[in-house]
Amino acid sequence: MEQILSNPMALLVMVGIVSIACQYLAYRLKLPAILPLLLAGLALGPISGVLDPDALFGDLLFPLVSLAVAIILFEGALTLKLSDLAGHGTMVRNLCTLGALVTWLVATPAAYYVLGMPMQLAALFGAIVTVTGPTVIVPMLRSVRPNTRISNILRWEGIVIDPIGALLAVLVYEYVVAAQSAFEHTLVILLKVVAIGFGLGSLMGYFLGTLLRNNWVPHYLRNTAVLTLMLGAYAASDLMSHESGLLTVTVMGIWMANMKGLDVDDILEFKETLSVLLISALFILLAARVELFTLAQLGWGALVVLAAIMFIARPLSVFLSSPGSGLNWRELAMLSWIAPRGIVAAAVSALFALKLESFGLVNSELLVPMVFLVIIATVVLQSLTSKTIAKLLGVRAPYPNGYLIFGGSRFARLLAKDLVDKEVPVIIADTNWDAIREARMEGIPTYYGNPISEHASLTLDLSAVGKVLVLSPYKQLNPLVTYHFEHLLGGGSVFGLSQGAQEGRASHRVSEEYARKLALFSESATYSRLASLVAKGATIRTTGLTETFTIEDYRETYGNRATPLYALGPQGKIHICTVTHEFALEAGWQVVSLIAPEEGAEKAADGAPLPDGEVSLG
């Protein structure tokens, strides 16, 4: 153990291993990753004394934390499209503006009077705790499953308020720093910081956006160029005016996110790999710096401040933001309870605490433990209670009966359109823009991109989705999508198309476990066969069964021309056809099949015929 404690390389590797373990634990338990990361940091730092970040990094600790926070704020700003403020309802816009202001005005005096923080420090604390964040909101929504209106409001509030809250915290910090100078210079210094932050941020955002939009940077260098130039802008801004870099990168990200003709989705996906290693390790290091005696020093006053934030600031901000939203009191009550703090709050507070140490501000050491206490308390308490509260209020969404269809082929669009016409929630996801465009023109809800990316996890609304149909030709991506959503939605929730007889080299065959999941429709219903049938004019038809028109009559009418897709029970429940389950069809049921044209009946004869009296249904 002594060798590990004295070996910087061993400590760095240990932090990396622990960060990955925390991410995996959060994935398995479906918890926000920030919770196990912060708890691991406390265990390694103040509790066991194994990790001392100040001794490990020395003078490099501050620059490393600064650059990591710059990356976090830049990535958050890239998700902020100004159209989202107006495009997702009055409630989201009000919560991210008026609501944030209310939270700030409540948290600031609470910290000032109860904890004895100086007013500048209390104002900074109030600004930091205005943010929630999608990384903590989304896992909670999956568990709680509130209705669509609540879910959309909370999801978009978390995305939009991250950069807005961070920008507010940066501006307050700049005022705090400026206020340390002589009074006559305070306003001049603040205006200089704001001018450089907005000016250089806008200039670099436009410059980098133009480089990418005109493809002047090779595709393989796009992510590296964006990261390097962003960090360069941060450093240059700090050199021009001390502490203006965070404002610069935030404005830079917002500018690029709203630039016409610029697609930043691939840049956002690049952040996934970076965050697992860099940002995950960052929070372990930040938590490891918290001292236990400082936590004890907070005393009962910390609980009073926490109560003010949770039971006064949040309900008040929701109430004042609600006029014109059309929400009832139950929905407003649910919104008032769910507001966990996340990654931006932890990172910004730790960075500013490091910076404030050099100014000798009284009680500045209280900032990080108080923010971390708010994060842990809101995440734990709200995660444990929100499902019960949603049930009591009657705002939980019904059991999800919708479908996510991965793949936007012509057959997939036909199936999706048929389900949409029956008022079944459907989303088509694909990385092919042409397929997504066609689906949108047909009025089908879509997601353009990889449905298992972090961007999708934050923005793709799965609250109504209970099953996933994998209908894409992407043989390398299909298994990843299958296992991802099986974990997310539960076993038996994902179905894929058969790949036909497995031939060729063993390395080209799929595993038996995965092959069992390829049971959609029938053994002969491969991607190529369905595509061929649709190309030859096959259509999807719904046929009702009665006492006089039974499944035998249906089979006699269509024969090999029919590929059963799903059946509707008398109560309207959908049963997807699969190879592994059979279900007797009786009067009152409806059968939905892909019907080949009559002239193509013989060519379609390689398909399995309808069984006598039964259809394979899941």
Side-chain angles (χ1 to χ4, degrees):
M1 179 59 71
E2 292 184 2
Q3 290 181 339
I4 294 178
L5 293 176
S6 61
N7 190 322
M9 182 183 298
L11 286 173
L12 288 173
V13 172
M14 180 191 68
V15 170
I17 293 174
V18 172
S19 66
I20 297 298
C22 290
Q23 288 281 355
Y24 181 75
L25 180 64
Y27 168 77
R28 297 298 301 179
L29 299 180
K30 299 180 182 179
L31 292 172
I34 190 173
L35 187 56
L37 287 170
L38 293 182
L39 294 179
L42 291 173
L44 290 175
I47 295 177
S48 67
V50 172
L51 181 62
D52 183 356
D54 294 275
L56 178 61
F57 291 99
D59 294 338
L60 289 177
L61 179 62
F62 175 75
L64 288 174
V65 173
S66 299
L67 294 178
V69 173
I71 293 171
I72 294 172
L73 295 187
F74 178 70
E75 184 274 334
L78 281 175
T79 66
L80 179 54
K81 296 184 183 296
L82 297 180
S83 59
D84 291 338
L85 282 173
H88 287 83
T90 303
M91 192 70 183
V92 174
R93 183 180 66 248
N94 290 347
L95 281 174
C96 295
T97 50
L98 177 61
L101 180 62
V102 169
T103 300
W104 182 42
L105 293 178
V106 171
T108 296
Y112 175 69
Y113 288 109
V114 177
L115 293 178
M117 288 184 178
M119 180 54 71
Q120 303 101 312
L121 188 64
L124 180 58
F125 168 77
I128 291 172
V129 297
T130 60
V131 300
T132 54
T135 55
V136 287
I137 285 288
V138 171
M140 195 175 296
L141 292 180
R142 288 174 184 157
S143 173
V144 177
R145 233 179 55 242
N147 65 38
T148 302
R149 290 203 294 182
I150 296 175
S151 179
N152 285 339
I153 289 171
L154 289 173
R155 179 180 285 104
W156 281 102
E157 179 198 8
I159 293 172
V160 173
I161 205 172
D162 251 5
I164 291 178
L167 181 58
L168 174 62
V170 170
L171 291 176
V172 172
Y173 172 75
E174 302 304 346
Y175 176 78
V176 171
V177 173
Q180 306 302 311
S181 308
F183 177 78
E184 60 270 18
H185 296 298
T186 298
L187 184 60
V188 175
I189 294 174
L190 179 61
L191 290 177
K192 180 182 177 183
V193 167
V194 172
I196 291 176
F198 279 93
L200 183 60
S202 300
L203 179 64
M204 286 298 298
Y206 175 78
F207 171 71
L208 185 53
T210 302
L211 286 180
L212 300 178
R213 187 171 58 187
N214 295 325
N215 295 315
W216 291 343
V217 177
H219 184 76
Y220 77 97
L221 284 179
R222 281 172 62 94
N223 292 327
T224 305
V226 169
L227 178 63
T228 304
L229 291 177
M230 180 274 294
L231 294 178
Y234 171 80
S237 180
D238 258 19
L239 289 175
M240 295 170 64
S241 179
H242 196 51
E243 313 303 348
S244 63
L246 294 180
L247 180 57
T248 296
V249 298
T250 303
V251 173
M252 184 177 170
I254 295 173
W255 187 283
M256 292 177 64
N258 293 275
M259 214 169 163
K260 290 184 178 179
L262 178 60
D263 183 10
V264 297
D265 285 346
D266 55 340
I267 300 172
L268 287 170
E269 287 191 16
F270 171 66
K271 181 255 179 188
E272 294 179 47
T273 303
L274 192 63
S275 64
V276 171
L277 180 60
L278 174 63
I279 298 176
S280 298
L282 169 67
F283 293 113
I284 292 177
L285 295 173
L286 297 181
R289 296 187 76 252
V290 177
E291 298 180 355
L292 291 179
F293 80 88
T294 307
L295 286 172
Q297 185 182 345
L298 293 174
W300 292 103
L303 299 181
V304 175
V305 174
L306 181 63
I309 293 171
M310 295 180 64
F311 300 110
I312 299 177
R314 179 62 178 181
L316 187 60
S317 65
V318 169
F319 174 76
L320 294 177
S321 301
S322 64
S325 66
L327 299 173
N328 59 46
W329 73 268
R330 292 182 177 84
E331 292 170 323
L332 293 177
M334 195 72 243
L335 288 172
S336 298
W337 181 240
I338 300 181
R341 272 58 182 183
I343 283 176
V344 170
V348 173
S349 66
L351 176 60
F352 288 160
L354 283 170
K355 293 183 176 184
L356 289 174
E357 287 178 4
S358 61
F359 289 100
L361 195 63
V362 178
N363 288 340
S364 61
E365 71 278 1
L366 299 180
L367 181 62
V368 172
M370 190 61 219
V371 171
F372 279 20
L373 179 63
V374 172
I375 292 171
I376 294 174
T378 54
V379 170
V380 173
L381 187 59
Q382 293 171 14
S383 294
L384 293 177
T385 60
S386 292
K387 184 184 294 186
T388 301
I389 292 176
K391 288 180 180 179
L392 293 175
L393 292 173
V395 295
R396 290 199 84 193
Y399 185 80
N401 65 336
Y403 292 84
L404 173 66
I405 298 177
F406 177 50
S409 65
R410 287 181 60 189
F411 168 74
R413 298 198 300 271
L414 281 176
L415 177 60
K417 190 67 169 66
D418 183 79
L419 291 169
V420 168
D421 291 342
K422 292 181 173 64
E423 298 184 350
V424 177
V426 177
I427 303 172
I428 282 184
D430 204 321
T431 56
N432 185 315
W433 170 247
D434 291 332
I436 292 296
R437 184 185 61 220
E438 292 292 335
R440 289 179 179 176
M441 292 176 63
E442 296 171 21
I444 303 169
T446 62
Y447 173 77
Y448 173 50
N450 185 345
I452 63 174
S453 66
E454 184 173 349
H455 180 265
S457 71
L458 300 180
T459 60
L460 181 56
D461 183 9
L462 298 175
S463 58
V465 172
K467 286 184 170 57
V468 177
L469 307 181
V470 181
L471 305 180
S472 88
Y474 313 132
K475 292 185 178 180
Q476 291 183 328
L477 190 54
N478 287 347
L480 300 179
V481 171
T482 298
Y483 286 113
H484 173 83
F485 285 107
E486 277 243 323
H487 169 76
L488 195 64
L489 303 177
S493 59
V494 184
F495 303 98
L497 294 172
S498 170
Q499 294 187 354
Q502 294 198 55
E503 299 177 354
R505 292 185 298 175
S507 60
H508 291 180
R509 301 175 187 174
V510 300
S511 68
E512 291 185 9
E513 179 187 1
Y514 176 59
R516 285 194 293 270
K517 304 178 190 300
L518 307 180
L520 194 54
F521 307 140
S522 70
E523 292 182 355
S524 61
T526 62
Y527 177 87
S528 58
R529 179 173 181 269
L530 293 174
S532 175
L533 289 174
V534 172
K536 294 172 182 176
T539 57
I540 292 179
R541 298 181 192 174
T542 302
T543 305
L545 301 181
T546 64
E547 296 291 346
T548 57
F549 188 82
T550 64
I551 188 64
E552 289 80 9
D553 299 318
Y554 183 89
R555 179 176 180 273
E556 184 177 347
T557 301
Y558 292 111
N560 292 334
R561 293 169 52 210
T563 302
L565 305 178
Y566 67 90
L568 278 170
Q571 282 75 40
K573 182 179 179 180
I574 288 181
H575 301 262
I576 294 292
C577 297
T578 68
V579 175
T580 54
H581 293 83
E582 291 188 349
F583 200 93
L585 297 180
E586 302 172 349
W589 285 73
Q590 292 179 312
V591 181
V592 181
S593 299
L594 181 68
I595 307 295
E598 292 187 15
E599 60 272 17
E602 292 188 5
K603 293 184 179 180
D606 58 332
L610 282 169
D612 292 329
E614 292 186 341
V615 171
S616 295
L617 296 170

